[in-house]
Amino acid sequence: MASASFRDSLNSMGWSRREPDLPANTSSSTPILSKLQAFNPFGDAGYVRLPTQEAPGAPLPAPTRREEEEGWFALSRWDRLLVFGACNAAALVCFVICFALFPVLSLKPRKFAILWSMGSMLFLASWAVLMGPIVYAQHLISGPRLPFTAAYFGSITMTLVFAIK
């Protein structure tokens, strides 16, 4: 009895006459992304479109759950190039601001050190995104490069320690 009156009150609000749910649109609708997509040299080959609704008996995009979860963290080549360019542009902005602050270096060494270190980290992060973080970390700690990597990260760390202290 109570459920029937509740159902009737919901029906009187018009909720039962709404449009059926439409599947989500997975295409990029922003004009900036669609303009960038026009320059994508890899086309649609780098993107995997996941299903927006589950149909009975529909196969998953990956054969195993592990591969499916790894796919969420994978970037296509075009995405990697975009992030690489964005990190390099941000590093360039940091370096340009550092050079603009060079005459004021004796008055504000802390700003210079932080901006220079951020630019260096963004530059390294751009290569890590392009190559893959694990591969890039293995590249940096390989035998012939280990002393230079230690000196570089040590100099960045010591710059921050002495500038902020």
Side-chain angles (χ1 to χ4, degrees), residues 93-147:
V93 166
C94 287
F95 291 140
V96 167
I97 293 173
C98 279
F99 285 120
L101 288 177
F102 199 69
V104 200
L105 178 61
S106 61
L107 301 174
K108 304 282 186 184
R110 186 176 298 164
K111 288 182 182 178
F112 181 84
I114 290 172
L115 279 170
W116 189 266
S117 300
M118 283 300 298
S120 298
M121 289 295 146
L122 284 168
F123 184 73
L124 288 175
S126 69
W127 286 102
V129 167
L130 191 64
M131 293 175 64
I134 295 172
V135 174
Y136 188 62
Q138 289 171 346
H139 172 75
L140 286 177
I141 61 173
S142 64
R145 288 181 181 79
L146 188 58

Side-chain angles (χ1 to χ4, degrees), residues 7-164:
R7 196 172 304 131
D8 290 338
S9 65
L10 283 180
N11 288 338
S12 68
M13 288 184 201
W15 289 3
S16 63
R17 293 184 297 270
R18 67 181 181 146
E19 297 288 325
D21 290 334
L22 298 174
N25 186 6
T26 59
S27 64
S28 62
S29 60
T30 60
I32 295 172
L33 289 178
S34 61
K35 286 180 184 177
L36 281 177
Q37 187 63 28
F39 296 114
N40 185 354
F42 306 110
D44 288 332
Y47 292 98
V48 176
R49 294 207 182 245
L50 297 174
T52 56
Q53 57 187 352
E54 189 171 338
L60 291 173
T64 65
R65 183 170 178 86
R66 181 176 179 209
E67 290 175 10
E68 181 182 352
E69 289 174 355
E70 288 174 355
W72 285 100
F73 300 107
L75 295 174
S76 68
R77 284 181 265 166
W78 179 246
D79 292 338
R80 286 178 189 242
L81 286 174
L82 284 178
V83 175
F84 174 77
C87 285
N88 274 331
L92 181 67
V93 166
C94 287
F95 291 140
V96 167
I97 293 173
C98 279
F99 285 120
L101 288 177
F102 199 69
V104 200
L105 178 61
S106 61
L107 301 174
K108 304 282 186 184
R110 186 176 298 164
K111 288 182 182 178
F112 181 84
I114 290 172
L115 279 170
W116 189 266
S117 300
M118 283 300 298
S120 298
M121 289 295 146
L122 284 168
F123 184 73
L124 288 175
S126 69
W127 286 102
V129 167
L130 191 64
M131 293 175 64
I134 295 172
V135 174
Y136 188 62
Q138 289 171 346
H139 172 75
L140 286 177
I141 61 173
S142 64
R145 288 181 181 79
L146 188 58
F148 301 105
T149 302
Y152 185 72
F153 282 110
S155 67
I156 289 174
T157 304
M158 296 311 288
T159 300
L160 286 174
V161 165
F162 288 115
I164 294 176

